[in-house]
Amino acid sequence: MSASAEMPYFIKPSLNLSEADKREAYEQAVQAIEANLEGEEDTTLKMATINCLLKTYLPYYYWVGFYLKSGPGRLSVGPYQGTLGCLHIDFSKGVCGKAAREQKTQLVSDTHALEQESEHIACDPNSRSEIVVPVLNPAGELIAVFDVDSTLENSFNEVDQQYLELMLHRVFGLE
Ligand code: SME
């Protein structure tokens, strides 16, 4: 089952940013994340706070959340903000599965250009571009993937990748 195309009242369509505005927004978001998470150890708390603050500062973040490694080759939805997310994803499927398999960030400029189900799973038909970043623990083991969808094409690029990889490493990858 996936979300309907109709956006509930609390969800807004994406708004892309210029590169300079994107960098400024990430600087503010990461500063807020690190200030609020200083000394915190609870994984759920950290994931929920990251979702909230990134969605607050980045107007093209339509769906944002974590898929947790729930078993060999399997991801299950964790803390997220947005419309109904698919509950489970096999490593063999979708953008999330590829990010988990390869442990490499996936940048998708147009989700409609991908083979549906095998290469892209459309939990929400409004999703149009996407970034998925693997989340590793201090031992370098995959614990989750971080997934962001936009309703616009080309919302994500190397700037998003740079900020998200560094922030997720600092929050989850350090002792
Ligand atoms: N699009 C993802 C599935 C998760 S929904 O976007 C929240 C994928 O293709 O793996």
Side-chain angles (χ1 to χ4, degrees), residues 111-152:
T111 58
H112 291 194
L114 297 179
E115 187 75 31
Q116 295 313 301
E117 285 310 309
S118 56
E119 295 178 327
H120 174 254
I121 301 166
C123 300
D124 182 322
N126 293 296
S127 167
R128 198 61 201 265
S129 61
E130 185 166 13
I131 185 170
V132 183
V133 184
V135 182
L136 308 181
N137 66 13
E141 299 155 336
L142 183 83
I143 58 171
V145 295
F146 178 67
D147 179 24
V148 193
D149 290 280
S150 164
T151 62
L152 299 173

mmCIF file of all heavy atoms in Angstrom, residues 111-152:
data_model
loop_
_atom_site.group_PDB
_atom_site.id
_atom_site.type_symbol
_atom_site.label_atom_id
_atom_site.label_comp_id
_atom_site.label_asym_id
_atom_site.label_seq_id
_atom_site.Cartn_x
_atom_site.Cartn_y
_atom_site.Cartn_z
ATOM 1 N N THR A 111 13.099 10.277 -10.381
ATOM 2 C CA THR A 111 12.706 8.912 -9.987
ATOM 3 C C THR A 111 11.862 8.240 -11.072
ATOM 4 O O THR A 111 11.836 7.020 -11.184
ATOM 5 C CB THR A 111 11.906 8.927 -8.669
ATOM 6 O OG1 THR A 111 10.749 9.778 -8.854
ATOM 7 C CG2 THR A 111 12.751 9.461 -7.515
ATOM 8 N N HIS A 112 11.191 9.057 -11.886
ATOM 9 C CA HIS A 112 10.334 8.478 -12.943
ATOM 10 C C HIS A 112 11.182 7.847 -14.053
ATOM 11 O O HIS A 112 10.660 7.096 -14.879
ATOM 12 C CB HIS A 112 9.408 9.544 -13.528
ATOM 13 C CG HIS A 112 8.363 9.995 -12.556
ATOM 14 N ND1 HIS A 112 7.256 10.729 -12.921
ATOM 15 C CD2 HIS A 112 8.243 9.814 -11.215
ATOM 16 C CE1 HIS A 112 6.500 10.983 -11.848
ATOM 17 N NE2 HIS A 112 7.099 10.446 -10.800
ATOM 18 N N ALA A 113 12.469 8.153 -14.065
ATOM 19 C CA ALA A 113 13.350 7.572 -15.104
ATOM 20 C C ALA A 113 13.833 6.184 -14.703
ATOM 21 O O ALA A 113 14.457 5.485 -15.498
ATOM 22 C CB ALA A 113 14.546 8.485 -15.338
ATOM 23 N N LEU A 114 13.528 5.783 -13.470
ATOM 24 C CA LEU A 114 14.001 4.480 -12.976
ATOM 25 C C LEU A 114 12.929 3.414 -13.190
ATOM 26 O O LEU A 114 11.733 3.722 -13.254
ATOM 27 C CB LEU A 114 14.340 4.572 -11.482
ATOM 28 C CG LEU A 114 15.467 5.528 -11.088
ATOM 29 C CD1 LEU A 114 15.653 5.516 -9.569
ATOM 30 C CD2 LEU A 114 16.757 5.171 -11.807
ATOM 31 N N GLU A 115 13.375 2.179 -13.243
ATOM 32 C CA GLU A 115 12.457 1.024 -13.333
ATOM 33 C C GLU A 115 11.720 0.915 -11.993
ATOM 34 O O GLU A 115 12.364 0.800 -10.934
ATOM 35 C CB GLU A 115 13.302 -0.247 -13.581
ATOM 36 C CG GLU A 115 12.507 -1.476 -13.862
ATOM 37 C CD GLU A 115 11.921 -1.454 -15.277
ATOM 38 O OE1 GLU A 115 12.525 -0.864 -16.192
ATOM 39 O OE2 GLU A 115 10.827 -2.037 -15.454
ATOM 40 N N GLN A 116 10.394 1.033 -12.031
ATOM 41 C CA GLN A 116 9.643 1.016 -10.760
ATOM 42 C C GLN A 116 9.723 -0.360 -10.110
ATOM 43 O O GLN A 116 9.753 -1.371 -10.793
ATOM 44 C CB GLN A 116 8.196 1.440 -11.014
ATOM 45 C CG GLN A 116 8.089 2.901 -11.487
ATOM 46 C CD GLN A 116 8.904 3.903 -10.657
ATOM 47 O OE1 GLN A 116 8.693 4.035 -9.451
ATOM 48 N NE2 GLN A 116 9.856 4.571 -11.285
ATOM 49 N N GLU A 117 9.765 -0.340 -8.793
ATOM 50 C CA GLU A 117 9.910 -1.509 -7.917
ATOM 51 C C GLU A 117 11.362 -1.977 -7.868
ATOM 52 O O GLU A 117 11.970 -1.974 -6.822
ATOM 53 C CB GLU A 117 8.978 -2.666 -8.304
ATOM 54 C CG GLU A 117 7.518 -2.413 -7.894
ATOM 55 C CD GLU A 117 7.379 -1.978 -6.421
ATOM 56 O OE1 GLU A 117 7.934 -2.657 -5.538
ATOM 57 O OE2 GLU A 117 6.756 -0.930 -6.193
ATOM 58 N N SER A 118 11.947 -2.323 -9.009
ATOM 59 C CA SER A 118 13.325 -2.865 -8.909
ATOM 60 C C SER A 118 14.316 -1.746 -8.576
ATOM 61 O O SER A 118 15.077 -1.821 -7.637
ATOM 62 C CB SER A 118 13.739 -3.540 -10.227
ATOM 63 O OG SER A 118 13.602 -2.610 -11.288
ATOM 64 N N GLU A 119 14.241 -0.630 -9.313
ATOM 65 C CA GLU A 119 15.203 0.469 -9.081
ATOM 66 C C GLU A 119 14.652 1.568 -8.171
ATOM 67 O O GLU A 119 15.399 2.282 -7.522
ATOM 68 C CB GLU A 119 15.606 1.093 -10.421
ATOM 69 C CG GLU A 119 16.377 0.165 -11.333
ATOM 70 C CD GLU A 119 16.700 0.833 -12.666
ATOM 71 O OE1 GLU A 119 15.870 1.659 -13.142
ATOM 72 O OE2 GLU A 119 17.784 0.554 -13.198
ATOM 73 N N HIS A 120 13.314 1.730 -8.178
ATOM 74 C CA HIS A 120 12.697 2.789 -7.367
ATOM 75 C C HIS A 120 11.344 2.308 -6.855
ATOM 76 O O HIS A 120 10.543 1.766 -7.611
ATOM 77 C CB HIS A 120 12.490 4.068 -8.192
ATOM 78 C CG HIS A 120 11.743 5.122 -7.436
ATOM 79 N ND1 HIS A 120 10.420 5.441 -7.694
ATOM 80 C CD2 HIS A 120 12.122 5.908 -6.405
ATOM 81 C CE1 HIS A 120 10.019 6.383 -6.852
ATOM 82 N NE2 HIS A 120 11.033 6.687 -6.063
ATOM 83 N N ILE A 121 11.125 2.510 -5.561
ATOM 84 C CA ILE A 121 9.830 2.181 -4.957
ATOM 85 C C ILE A 121 9.122 3.496 -4.640
ATOM 86 O O ILE A 121 9.660 4.320 -3.887
ATOM 87 C CB ILE A 121 10.021 1.368 -3.660
ATOM 88 C CG1 ILE A 121 10.789 0.071 -3.959
ATOM 89 C CG2 ILE A 121 8.683 1.070 -2.983
ATOM 90 C CD1 ILE A 121 11.308 -0.629 -2.720
ATOM 91 N N ALA A 122 7.960 3.711 -5.240
ATOM 92 C CA ALA A 122 7.252 4.990 -5.059
ATOM 93 C C ALA A 122 6.275 4.852 -3.893
ATOM 94 O O ALA A 122 5.096 4.548 -4.084
ATOM 95 C CB ALA A 122 6.516 5.372 -6.334
ATOM 96 N N CYS A 123 6.770 5.086 -2.681
ATOM 97 C CA CYS A 123 5.843 5.044 -1.526
ATOM 98 C C CYS A 123 4.789 6.127 -1.697
ATOM 99 O O CYS A 123 3.670 6.016 -1.240
ATOM 100 C CB CYS A 123 6.604 5.273 -0.228
ATOM 101 S SG CYS A 123 7.870 4.047 0.060
ATOM 102 N N ASP A 124 5.216 7.247 -2.339
ATOM 103 C CA ASP A 124 4.299 8.362 -2.574
ATOM 104 C C ASP A 124 4.463 8.771 -4.039
ATOM 105 O O ASP A 124 5.578 9.087 -4.462
ATOM 106 C CB ASP A 124 4.644 9.534 -1.636
ATOM 107 C CG ASP A 124 3.698 10.714 -1.802
ATOM 108 O OD1 ASP A 124 3.301 10.999 -2.949
ATOM 109 O OD2 ASP A 124 3.370 11.344 -0.788
ATOM 110 N N PRO A 125 3.388 8.793 -4.825
ATOM 111 C CA PRO A 125 3.503 9.129 -6.251
ATOM 112 C C PRO A 125 4.013 10.547 -6.497
ATOM 113 O O PRO A 125 4.443 10.882 -7.588
ATOM 114 C CB PRO A 125 2.073 8.955 -6.780
ATOM 115 C CG PRO A 125 1.193 8.882 -5.595
ATOM 116 C CD PRO A 125 2.010 8.443 -4.442
ATOM 117 N N ASN A 126 3.997 11.384 -5.443
ATOM 118 C CA ASN A 126 4.489 12.768 -5.621
ATOM 119 C C ASN A 126 6.017 12.853 -5.601
ATOM 120 O O ASN A 126 6.587 13.880 -5.910
ATOM 121 C CB ASN A 126 3.935 13.662 -4.495
ATOM 122 C CG ASN A 126 2.432 13.821 -4.600
ATOM 123 O OD1 ASN A 126 1.935 14.392 -5.573
ATOM 124 N ND2 ASN A 126 1.690 13.291 -3.643
ATOM 125 N N SER A 127 6.672 11.760 -5.185
ATOM 126 C CA SER A 127 8.138 11.780 -5.129
ATOM 127 C C SER A 127 8.725 11.894 -6.529
ATOM 128 O O SER A 127 8.335 11.159 -7.428
ATOM 129 C CB SER A 127 8.644 10.490 -4.473
ATOM 130 O OG SER A 127 10.035 10.360 -4.689
ATOM 131 N N ARG A 128 9.703 12.805 -6.734
ATOM 132 C CA ARG A 128 10.226 13.021 -8.088
ATOM 133 C C ARG A 128 11.748 13.001 -8.141
ATOM 134 O O ARG A 128 12.347 12.774 -9.174
ATOM 135 C CB ARG A 128 9.687 14.336 -8.666
ATOM 136 C CG ARG A 128 9.806 14.444 -10.144
ATOM 137 C CD ARG A 128 9.024 13.335 -10.833
ATOM 138 N NE ARG A 128 9.495 13.106 -12.161
ATOM 139 C CZ ARG A 128 8.944 13.682 -13.250
ATOM 140 N NH1 ARG A 128 7.938 14.515 -13.125
ATOM 141 N NH2 ARG A 128 9.422 13.417 -14.453
ATOM 142 N N SER A 129 12.407 13.337 -7.019
ATOM 143 C CA SER A 129 13.869 13.165 -6.941
ATOM 144 C C SER A 129 14.203 12.742 -5.516
ATOM 145 O O SER A 129 13.369 12.891 -4.606
ATOM 146 C CB SER A 129 14.629 14.433 -7.356
ATOM 147 O OG SER A 129 14.325 15.533 -6.527
ATOM 148 N N GLU A 130 15.393 12.175 -5.345
ATOM 149 C CA GLU A 130 15.658 11.498 -4.069
ATOM 150 C C GLU A 130 17.156 11.422 -3.793
ATOM 151 O O GLU A 130 17.966 11.382 -4.733
ATOM 152 C CB GLU A 130 15.071 10.092 -4.161
ATOM 153 C CG GLU A 130 15.123 9.244 -2.908
ATOM 154 C CD GLU A 130 14.218 8.016 -2.997
ATOM 155 O OE1 GLU A 130 13.743 7.681 -4.086
ATOM 156 O OE2 GLU A 130 13.984 7.420 -1.931
ATOM 157 N N ILE A 131 17.492 11.415 -2.508
ATOM 158 C CA ILE A 131 18.849 11.090 -2.080
ATOM 159 C C ILE A 131 18.732 10.068 -0.959
ATOM 160 O O ILE A 131 17.833 10.178 -0.110
ATOM 161 C CB ILE A 131 19.640 12.344 -1.619
ATOM 162 C CG1 ILE A 131 21.104 11.973 -1.295
ATOM 163 C CG2 ILE A 131 18.987 13.033 -0.426
ATOM 164 C CD1 ILE A 131 22.017 13.186 -1.076
ATOM 165 N N VAL A 132 19.601 9.066 -0.976
ATOM 166 C CA VAL A 132 19.627 8.060 0.090
ATOM 167 C C VAL A 132 21.082 7.888 0.537
ATOM 168 O O VAL A 132 21.962 7.639 -0.297
ATOM 169 C CB VAL A 132 19.042 6.708 -0.359
ATOM 170 C CG1 VAL A 132 19.021 5.721 0.820
ATOM 171 C CG2 VAL A 132 17.630 6.871 -0.927
ATOM 172 N N VAL A 133 21.317 8.050 1.842
ATOM 173 C CA VAL A 133 22.675 8.015 2.397
ATOM 174 C C VAL A 133 22.787 6.856 3.388
ATOM 175 O O VAL A 133 21.966 6.760 4.310
ATOM 176 C CB VAL A 133 23.011 9.335 3.118
ATOM 177 C CG1 VAL A 133 24.455 9.339 3.611
ATOM 178 C CG2 VAL A 133 22.781 10.538 2.198
ATOM 179 N N PRO A 134 23.774 5.964 3.228
ATOM 180 C CA PRO A 134 23.944 4.885 4.203
ATOM 181 C C PRO A 134 24.363 5.469 5.563
ATOM 182 O O PRO A 134 25.099 6.457 5.625
ATOM 183 C CB PRO A 134 25.060 4.019 3.629
ATOM 184 C CG PRO A 134 25.557 4.682 2.415
ATOM 185 C CD PRO A 134 24.737 5.899 2.123
ATOM 186 N N VAL A 135 23.895 4.848 6.656
ATOM 187 C CA VAL A 135 24.234 5.283 8.015
ATOM 188 C C VAL A 135 25.023 4.158 8.685
ATOM 189 O O VAL A 135 24.506 3.034 8.813
ATOM 190 C CB VAL A 135 22.959 5.608 8.831
ATOM 191 C CG1 VAL A 135 23.332 6.105 10.234
ATOM 192 C CG2 VAL A 135 22.111 6.665 8.106
ATOM 193 N N LEU A 136 26.250 4.452 9.067
ATOM 194 C CA LEU A 136 27.133 3.435 9.649
ATOM 195 C C LEU A 136 27.408 3.738 11.121
ATOM 196 O O LEU A 136 27.445 4.905 11.527
ATOM 197 C CB LEU A 136 28.469 3.390 8.894
ATOM 198 C CG LEU A 136 28.406 3.255 7.361
ATOM 199 C CD1 LEU A 136 29.816 3.195 6.777
ATOM 200 C CD2 LEU A 136 27.601 2.044 6.940
ATOM 201 N N ASN A 137 27.594 2.678 11.896
ATOM 202 C CA ASN A 137 27.938 2.863 13.323
ATOM 203 C C ASN A 137 29.457 3.019 13.457
ATOM 204 O O ASN A 137 30.185 2.906 12.459
ATOM 205 C CB ASN A 137 27.395 1.702 14.153
ATOM 206 C CG ASN A 137 28.063 0.373 13.818
ATOM 207 O OD1 ASN A 137 29.097 0.332 13.150
ATOM 208 N ND2 ASN A 137 27.469 -0.723 14.254
ATOM 209 N N PRO A 138 29.964 3.272 14.677
ATOM 210 C CA PRO A 138 31.417 3.474 14.812
ATOM 211 C C PRO A 138 32.264 2.290 14.329
ATOM 212 O O PRO A 138 33.428 2.484 13.968
ATOM 213 C CB PRO A 138 31.587 3.703 16.317
ATOM 214 C CG PRO A 138 30.286 4.267 16.767
ATOM 215 C CD PRO A 138 29.255 3.575 15.912
ATOM 216 N N ALA A 139 31.662 1.109 14.294
ATOM 217 C CA ALA A 139 32.403 -0.075 13.805
ATOM 218 C C ALA A 139 32.354 -0.181 12.285
ATOM 219 O O ALA A 139 32.906 -1.103 11.687
ATOM 220 C CB ALA A 139 31.806 -1.343 14.435
ATOM 221 N N GLY A 140 31.671 0.800 11.664
ATOM 222 C CA GLY A 140 31.576 0.791 10.198
ATOM 223 C C GLY A 140 30.508 -0.157 9.665
ATOM 224 O O GLY A 140 30.478 -0.473 8.483
ATOM 225 N N GLU A 141 29.617 -0.597 10.537
ATOM 226 C CA GLU A 141 28.519 -1.496 10.123
ATOM 227 C C GLU A 141 27.280 -0.678 9.746
ATOM 228 O O GLU A 141 26.962 0.324 10.411
ATOM 229 C CB GLU A 141 28.155 -2.443 11.287
ATOM 230 C CG GLU A 141 29.308 -3.338 11.713
ATOM 231 C CD GLU A 141 29.168 -3.781 13.177
ATOM 232 O OE1 GLU A 141 28.474 -3.053 13.949
ATOM 233 O OE2 GLU A 141 29.730 -4.835 13.528
ATOM 234 N N LEU A 142 26.562 -1.140 8.720
ATOM 235 C CA LEU A 142 25.335 -0.446 8.298
ATOM 236 C C LEU A 142 24.256 -0.612 9.360
ATOM 237 O O LEU A 142 23.934 -1.749 9.764
ATOM 238 C CB LEU A 142 24.834 -1.026 6.971
ATOM 239 C CG LEU A 142 23.604 -0.326 6.395
ATOM 240 C CD1 LEU A 142 24.020 0.929 5.614
ATOM 241 C CD2 LEU A 142 22.814 -1.263 5.502
ATOM 242 N N ILE A 143 23.690 0.493 9.839
ATOM 243 C CA ILE A 143 22.566 0.415 10.790
ATOM 244 C C ILE A 143 21.272 0.911 10.156
ATOM 245 O O ILE A 143 20.175 0.572 10.621
ATOM 246 C CB ILE A 143 22.844 1.215 12.082
ATOM 247 C CG1 ILE A 143 23.119 2.694 11.807
ATOM 248 C CG2 ILE A 143 23.986 0.577 12.881
ATOM 249 C CD1 ILE A 143 23.172 3.561 13.056
ATOM 250 N N ALA A 144 21.386 1.733 9.121
ATOM 251 C CA ALA A 144 20.184 2.309 8.490
ATOM 252 C C ALA A 144 20.583 2.984 7.183
ATOM 253 O O ALA A 144 21.769 3.104 6.858
ATOM 254 C CB ALA A 144 19.561 3.346 9.439
ATOM 255 N N VAL A 145 19.570 3.423 6.461
ATOM 256 C CA VAL A 145 19.802 4.376 5.374
ATOM 257 C C VAL A 145 18.915 5.579 5.664
ATOM 258 O O VAL A 145 17.829 5.439 6.253
ATOM 259 C CB VAL A 145 19.504 3.808 3.976
ATOM 260 C CG1 VAL A 145 20.454 2.664 3.630
ATOM 261 C CG2 VAL A 145 18.061 3.383 3.810
ATOM 262 N N PHE A 146 19.406 6.753 5.260
ATOM 263 C CA PHE A 146 18.676 8.009 5.447
ATOM 264 C C PHE A 146 18.116 8.405 4.092
ATOM 265 O O PHE A 146 18.870 8.562 3.121
ATOM 266 C CB PHE A 146 19.623 9.092 5.986
ATOM 267 C CG PHE A 146 18.979 10.430 6.168
ATOM 268 C CD1 PHE A 146 17.997 10.613 7.128
ATOM 269 C CD2 PHE A 146 19.346 11.516 5.381
ATOM 270 C CE1 PHE A 146 17.397 11.860 7.308
ATOM 271 C CE2 PHE A 146 18.751 12.752 5.541
ATOM 272 C CZ PHE A 146 17.768 12.928 6.501
ATOM 273 N N ASP A 147 16.790 8.553 4.000
ATOM 274 C CA ASP A 147 16.104 8.727 2.719
ATOM 275 C C ASP A 147 15.378 10.070 2.675
ATOM 276 O O ASP A 147 14.654 10.413 3.620
ATOM 277 C CB ASP A 147 15.095 7.582 2.552
ATOM 278 C CG ASP A 147 14.302 7.663 1.267
ATOM 279 O OD1 ASP A 147 14.784 8.287 0.309
ATOM 280 O OD2 ASP A 147 13.190 7.113 1.217
ATOM 281 N N VAL A 148 15.582 10.851 1.623
ATOM 282 C CA VAL A 148 14.876 12.120 1.443
ATOM 283 C C VAL A 148 14.280 12.160 0.038
ATOM 284 O O VAL A 148 14.960 11.840 -0.949
ATOM 285 C CB VAL A 148 15.791 13.346 1.617
ATOM 286 C CG1 VAL A 148 14.958 14.627 1.731
ATOM 287 C CG2 VAL A 148 16.696 13.202 2.840
ATOM 288 N N ASP A 149 12.988 12.539 -0.034
ATOM 289 C CA ASP A 149 12.305 12.699 -1.311
ATOM 290 C C ASP A 149 11.899 14.150 -1.502
ATOM 291 O O ASP A 149 11.551 14.835 -0.528
ATOM 292 C CB ASP A 149 11.007 11.873 -1.339
ATOM 293 C CG ASP A 149 11.260 10.380 -1.386
ATOM 294 O OD1 ASP A 149 11.543 9.868 -2.486
ATOM 295 O OD2 ASP A 149 11.225 9.743 -0.316
ATOM 296 N N SER A 150 11.898 14.583 -2.745
ATOM 297 C CA SER A 150 11.368 15.900 -3.110
ATOM 298 C C SER A 150 10.280 15.693 -4.160
ATOM 299 O O SER A 150 10.301 14.711 -4.912
ATOM 300 C CB SER A 150 12.490 16.771 -3.701
ATOM 301 O OG SER A 150 11.957 17.882 -4.382
ATOM 302 N N THR A 151 9.329 16.632 -4.254
ATOM 303 C CA THR A 151 8.293 16.518 -5.296
ATOM 304 C C THR A 151 8.791 17.137 -6.603
ATOM 305 O O THR A 151 8.043 17.147 -7.588
ATOM 306 C CB THR A 151 6.987 17.219 -4.861
ATOM 307 O OG1 THR A 151 7.259 18.622 -4.662
ATOM 308 C CG2 THR A 151 6.438 16.624 -3.572
ATOM 309 N N LEU A 152 10.014 17.661 -6.601
ATOM 310 C CA LEU A 152 10.567 18.279 -7.819
ATOM 311 C C LEU A 152 11.747 17.459 -8.332
ATOM 312 O O LEU A 152 12.446 16.801 -7.543
ATOM 313 C CB LEU A 152 11.051 19.709 -7.517
ATOM 314 C CG LEU A 152 9.997 20.701 -7.031
ATOM 315 C CD1 LEU A 152 10.675 22.004 -6.615
ATOM 316 C CD2 LEU A 152 8.947 20.934 -8.100
#
